Every structure is written in C-alpha cells, then in structure tokens.
Amino acid sequence: MIDCKHNTELLSQSYDRPITLRERIAMRMHLMMCRGCRNFEKQLTFLRKAARELPRKL
Amino acid sequence: MSDIDPEELQGHRSHLIRYAMLQLRDPNLAEDVVQETLVAAIESRAKFAAQSSPRTWLVGILKHKIIDLLRKRAREPQLNVAEGEDENELVDALFKENGHWADPPQTWNAPEQSLENAHFWNVFEQCNQRMPLNTARAFMMREFMEMSTDEICQELGISTTNCWVILHRARLALRECLDMNWFGNAR
Ligand SMILES: [Zn+2]
C-alpha cells in the first residue's frame, strides 16, 4: 500500500505523463481510504484549471 | 482596412506585462517581450482586427516571444538558473516520517467561484511569485504555456524525472499557499 507522499507524487505525475495500470490501481486503492488525498486530487484539478484560465483573468 | 487603435493596444499592455512578469520576473525583460508582442500585433493588424478575443490572441503571441527568450537565455550558461533551489523542506514539512500527511488537505469551499473573483487572481499571482524561480518557471511552462514535459526538460536542461519532481513541488507549494491565503485554512 502506498503512502500519501508517494500517492501525491503519482497524482501529480498523472498530469505530466501516462500512468501505468499498476500505478492507477495503487492510487485508486489509496484514495478510497484517504480523505486528505481525495481533497488533494480535487485541488490539483482546480490548480490546472485556474492556471490555464490565468491568461484571461490577470 | 482599419488600423489598430493605439489606445486599445495600450489597454492590453499592463495585462501582458503582468503575465510576462510571472514567467520572467524581470521588469526590463517583460517590457521587451511585450513591446515585441505589440509590434508583431501592429504588423499583422488585419489578423488583429479579425479576432473575437484580441487579448487571447495577444497572449498567444506573447507566449511564443517568452519561449524564444527563454530558449536564447538557456543557451547562455551564465544565465542558467542555479541548481539546487532546495524545496525539500516544503515536502518534509507536509508529510510525516511515515509518509502520511502532517495535516491532511481540507475541502475547499466553492473553488469555482474563486475563478470569478479578481482578488483570488492577486493571491494566485503572489503565490506564484513566492515559488523559487526555477520551480515557478517549470510550472508556468507546463500549465500556462501548455508545453509538454519533454519540451520543458529540454529547455531547462534537466532530466525528465527531475522535471516531474519540480512540477510536483510547484503544485504542492501552490496548493499550500492558496490553502492558507485564500481558502482560509490557515494553521
Ligand atoms: Zn493519502
């Protein structure tokens, strides 16, 4: 079972490279049991959205 | 054919400068790329006139100018960003020895609404400026310029793995900063 530190690394990398099936399963397993990482995942999605809207908003 | 109204161009200027500053953090360089952008816009004024969103179009030109500039500078070794901008401290502070969150992220309240709030963008900008230069630059190449990780590694002259690490730290840092300064989860 991966820990939060490793899980956040994988979540972040899923925005930068294709994630393997094994990694995806490990992340899902962790997320099922960890509310902190679930919040982190949502916030990562938000960060990307915000960053990509920035040129229109500044 | 209509000419570009200089006042209209000026109206975009401060916006473009702000955007360039985020990436370059150097007022003179930012001024230069924005100037080049405006000149390019004037040179293709027919296209400018046809834009439904001139600002988006101008930002598109500006992005290319910034990338060109960063490329040029990457080739000049004395201007390379110092190695070892050490952000391990941040990661160490966020996680306990056993790899669990020291302080697990809390829910953010109505984040979508923040996108419509001008003050949110000031905080977002400040949080970006707080990141070490190399980190912020990689993050902006990835998220604002929408460059691929491979391109970024090449431009910054770092390994792919290092690139992932830097991007991850950038997201952790930005998340933490917004959490404390905008979403009100100050500790
Ligand atoms: Zn977790």
Side-chain angles (χ1 to χ4, degrees), chain A residues 3-6 8-13 15-17 30 34-37 39-40 42-44 46-58, chain B residues 15 18-19 22 59 91 95 98-101 104-108 111-112 115-116 120-121 124-125 142-144 146 149 164 167-168 171-172 175 178:
Chain A
D3 59 29
C4 297
K5 193 175 171 184
H6 186 190
T8 57
E9 286 164 9
L10 286 178
L11 284 171
S12 185
Q13 285 175 24
Y15 283 84
D16 301 320
R17 67 170 173 91
H30 182 101
C34 180
R35 180 199 285 268
C37 282
N39 284 332
F40 180 79
K42 280 190 212 132
Q43 291 161 5
L44 273 190
F46 174 77
L47 287 184
R48 167 152 292 186
K49 186 161 188 245
R52 295 201 164 170
E53 275 194 32
L54 181 84
R56 282 189 294 280
K57 300 289 185 177
L58 266 192
Chain B
H15 166 87
R18 246 177 115 178
Y19 185 80
L22 269 179
V59 168
V91 180
F95 298 97
N98 64 9
H100 287 275
W101 290 101
Q106 306 291 311
T107 322
W108 283 354
E112 299 293 318
L115 298 175
E116 305 309 321
F120 168 79
W121 294 103
F124 194 91
E125 202 176 3
R142 182 78 190 104
E143 303 295 357
F144 305 167
E146 302 186 32
T149 325
W164 291 331
L167 288 170
H168 178 50
R171 294 183 181 116
L172 284 175
R175 194 215 75 85
L178 290 176

